[in-house]
Amino acid sequence: MSGVNLTREQSEKRTQSGSLFYWTGHPFVDAGLVAILLIAGKKKPEDLTVEDVEKAISFAAELYATKEWSTKYIHGMIFPNSGILMANPSMGKKRSPTSIAENLQSIFEELKSSDNDSPTCVLCGRRPAYSKKDIYLSVFPLLGTGGVPNFFHSANLRGADICAHCVFLAQFMPLISYRLSRVLVIHAYPYELMLELSKEALEDIKKSKLASQARGFRRPENFLFHLVGEVTRKMESSEFWENASVTLYYFICNNQNQILDLIHIPTPVLRFVAYANYIDPMGWKRIVAMGWRVLPDENDFDKFERERRNVVYSRLLNNESILSYFYNSKERKVNTNWNLLAFYCQEVLGLDEKILEFVKDVGDRIVETIGMLPDHKLDDEVRSLERAEKLYQFEAFFIRIEKLRQNLGIDKPLMTFDEFARILMAYGEDVSISWKTVKNLLLFRIYEKLHDRLMKSAELDKIEEFGADESEYSIYGGGNE
């Protein structure tokens, strides 16, 4: 492939920012820049040279010239009828790596343009709009077809005002996208994080010459959370996600459909998931497993994660509590330790540390009380808390525990009146939300401290129930040998 037609002096000439390329904040443009950086083995745009760009053009052109890329992926899912990448099926006979490379080179050379009469790029705001082509969805994903000019806010007959810099980089976006049922682009900040989350796509391409299938994952959020865990464990630290911002762009753009789902991962959720994978990966796995209707065994977990929607992930993305998934109510055991639960409550739910310690202390007082009961009465008291679906039932539980403390001769009361009001309002002024949060915290603490006795009691109940059945059936002559 012939080189870009720039002299050595021109190759050193950069934009006003001092580099050939720069981050824009637009997911498709930044994705293209990530692709070029990964191909060059570099981390910063200012380190890129023209030789790096030539290498990226050659790499992309070789792939895009194949039928698997041009017709099935680029034309069918990203750039329908693209003339630049020659993805239009009618261009099949003329399509070649050289032709595609020349098209990309011609756009790259336009980066030198200083046409001050052209409108400014609507994406980066730093360069004049590219004028050699009308900018519709064949050039940049998810734009109009040109058939309806007022699709664009400016009613521009030439499409969107996008500069050569942004158009050029967008052509490389497919190289670091993941191909699920739609196209997945992971946009992240800091940009070092975007490089880390996207590099698998390029590595897969180098191995198979095909777009990455994201390991067979069918849901983008499942894949992202899986990557978060892997990156955290590899780096042996959760600090990488301290100020991270991640948004998934899950889309398809062809002649029939233009569909886009934006999935923003809240930063506190990222920090929590990273922390969980760092301090208790097996506990986090048990929590996630609770998010499927059928609890998978160890061998099926990966299959479930690849194929099925997970309620825990969905609730995290929708800012809904997952406290009830921290324990298994059927087996009356906790899935992780109190430290991870506390981190979730403070980081994601915004629960004050002092309030959390207070609830924990109340939980310990309850354990102290019911722990003195015989097994069958212990089981009864725990069941009353488990079955509390109304606020008055929750309140009645505390009154009953206080009476037990008096009957058992425990001097210190369970709570004062002020503490009782505090326990109901511990998670904000909305009592309907607050008391259920506290209930989950208390159940976690009880299961954590009394699991063995509770399960022993459950086994006794099963034996007694079985014995009752045997006695009942004995009247038909089946009870005696």
Side-chain angles (χ1 to χ4, degrees):
M1 185 190 76
S2 60
V4 178
N5 297 325
L6 293 175
T7 65
R8 176 64 60 180
E9 290 182 356
Q10 288 173 320
S11 73
E12 297 299 325
K13 184 179 180 180
R14 308 297 172 91
T15 65
Q16 293 180 355
S17 65
S19 63
L20 287 167
F21 303 110
Y22 45 85
W23 301 109
T24 65
H26 191 284
F28 299 159
V29 178
D30 288 348
L33 180 49
V34 165
I36 295 176
L37 285 169
L38 289 173
I39 292 170
K42 296 180 178 179
K43 295 183 178 181
K44 298 180 180 180
E46 53 266 32
D47 294 335
L48 289 173
T49 65
V50 170
E51 287 73 20
D52 294 326
V53 179
E54 289 179 347
K55 182 180 178 181
I57 290 176
S58 178
F59 181 85
E62 290 289 339
L63 292 171
Y64 293 170
T66 64
K67 185 176 181 180
E68 289 77 9
W69 278 84
S70 63
T71 304
K72 296 181 179 179
Y73 194 41
I74 295 175
H75 171 69
M77 301 182 76
I78 304 175
F79 297 105
N81 300 319
S82 172
I84 297 172
L85 304 181
M86 305 188 76
N88 191 315
S90 65
M91 297 180 176
K93 293 183 179 180
K94 298 180 180 179
R95 186 187 306 124
S96 69
T98 301
S99 299
I100 295 173
E102 289 174 353
N103 291 341
L104 291 172
Q105 288 172 17
S106 66
I107 301 174
F108 180 66
E109 290 175 358
E110 286 296 315
L111 268 64
K112 298 179 294 180
S113 173
S114 58
D115 183 4
N116 295 325
D117 293 331
S118 296
T120 304
C121 176
V122 296
L123 300 186
C124 69
R126 298 170 67 170
R127 292 178 179 270
Y130 182 58
S131 58
K132 298 294 179 67
K133 253 188 181 304
D134 295 347
I135 310 297
Y136 297 119
L137 54 73
S138 62
V139 176
F140 202 95
L142 300 175
L143 294 180
T145 61
V148 184
N150 63 1
F151 176 87
F152 301 96
H153 69 279
S154 59
N156 187 348
L157 294 176
R158 295 183 58 82
D161 294 324
I162 301 177
C163 68
H165 168 273
C166 295
V167 169
F168 178 77
L169 290 179
Q171 310 309 305
F172 294 86
M173 174 264 288
L175 299 177
I176 59 96
S177 62
Y178 294 96
R179 185 177 182 179
L180 287 74
S181 60
R182 300 187 213 163
V183 180
L184 172 63
V185 172
I186 303 176
H187 193 247
Y189 183 85
Y191 289 114
E192 293 82 2
L193 179 58
M194 189 170 177
L195 288 164
E196 183 66 33
L197 295 174
S198 302
K199 68 180 183 181
E200 181 177 324
L202 189 64
E203 290 171 355
D204 287 350
I205 290 173
K206 290 179 178 179
K207 294 175 184 176
S208 66
K209 304 300 181 183
L210 298 173
S212 174
Q213 303 291 318
R215 308 185 202 179
F217 275 81
R218 295 182 181 178
R219 301 193 65 88
E221 69 275 18
N222 290 22
F223 181 55
L224 186 278
F225 282 124
H226 185 86
L227 287 180
V228 170
E230 279 194 348
V231 171
T232 302
R233 292 190 294 273
K234 182 181 75 172
M235 295 188 170
E236 298 183 344
S237 172
S238 62
E239 295 180 0
F240 193 59
W241 307 90
E242 187 63 30
N243 296 305
S245 174
V246 176
T247 303
L248 308 182
Y249 292 80
Y250 192 49
F251 73 96
I252 188 168
C253 178
N254 54 37
N255 289 325
Q256 289 74 42
N257 295 293
Q258 293 186 61
I259 302 171
L260 170 66
D261 285 338
L262 267 67
I263 306 173
H264 177 66
I265 319 297
T267 301
V269 169
L270 282 172
R271 287 199 290 262
F272 162 66
V273 173
Y275 185 76
N277 277 279
Y278 178 56
I279 69 160
D280 189 10
M282 292 307 299
W284 172 240
K285 197 172 182 179
R286 287 191 291 269
I287 292 171
V288 172
M290 297 289 292
W292 290 299
R293 289 185 178 181
V294 178
L295 201 64
D297 60 30
E298 186 69 24
N299 296 326
D300 288 335
F301 182 91
D302 291 341
K303 181 180 179 181
F304 274 53
E305 190 177 32
R306 286 195 305 270
E307 298 178 357
R308 302 192 182 190
R309 174 182 176 271
N310 187 278
V311 176
V312 171
Y313 292 158
S314 297
R315 293 182 72 87
L316 284 171
L317 294 176
N318 292 323
N319 294 313
E320 298 176 12
S321 174
I322 62 165
L323 271 180
S324 61
Y325 298 89
F326 276 77
Y327 57 80
N328 186 326
S329 58
K330 289 184 178 179
E331 299 183 11
R332 288 177 161 178
K333 67 178 182 180
V334 297
N335 290 322
T336 184
N337 53 57
W338 180 269
N339 288 337
L340 182 57
L341 177 76
F343 186 89
Y344 168 75
C345 289
Q346 294 175 60
E347 188 69 30
V348 180
L349 297 184
L351 200 62
D352 183 78
E353 183 179 1
K354 293 181 180 179
I355 292 292
L356 189 60
E357 284 300 316
F358 168 66
V359 174
K360 180 182 178 183
D361 182 55
V362 171
D364 289 340
R365 294 181 216 170
I366 293 172
V367 168
E368 174 194 23
T369 307
I370 62 178
M372 300 173 68
L373 299 174
D375 289 341
H376 68 284
K377 289 189 176 181
L378 166 66
D379 184 72
D380 289 343
E381 293 303 330
V382 175
R383 285 185 188 277
S384 69
L385 179 58
E386 292 171 336
R387 293 171 177 172
E389 298 296 334
K390 303 291 184 180
L391 179 58
Y392 74 87
Q393 295 171 323
F394 185 61
E395 294 170 333
F397 169 78
F398 290 103
I399 295 172
R400 197 161 50 251
I401 297 299
E402 179 56 44
K403 289 181 178 179
L404 278 174
R405 290 177 73 85
Q406 294 174 9
N407 294 336
L408 292 168
I410 301 175
D411 293 334
K412 187 177 180 181
L414 178 65
M415 285 182 288
T416 65
F417 178 82
D418 289 341
E419 287 176 331
F420 184 58
R422 189 182 182 194
I423 203 84
L424 296 179
M425 306 292 287
Y427 185 54
E429 297 180 359
D430 189 344
V431 177
S432 64
I433 297 175
S434 178
W435 77 266
K436 292 179 181 178
T437 299
V438 176
K439 172 189 169 181
N440 284 321
L441 292 173
L442 293 177
L443 282 174
F444 183 95
R445 194 62 174 168
I446 291 170
Y447 293 157
E448 185 180 38
K449 295 293 186 179
L450 299 174
H451 166 70
D452 291 342
R453 283 194 62 193
L454 288 169
M455 293 311 296
K456 178 182 176 183
S457 176
E459 288 298 323
L460 288 173
D461 286 344
K462 288 182 181 179
I463 293 172
E464 291 175 1
E465 183 179 347
F466 180 76
D469 289 343
E470 288 287 285
S471 175
E472 180 181 349
Y473 293 135
S474 67
I475 63 174
Y476 297 104
N480 298 316
E481 295 184 354

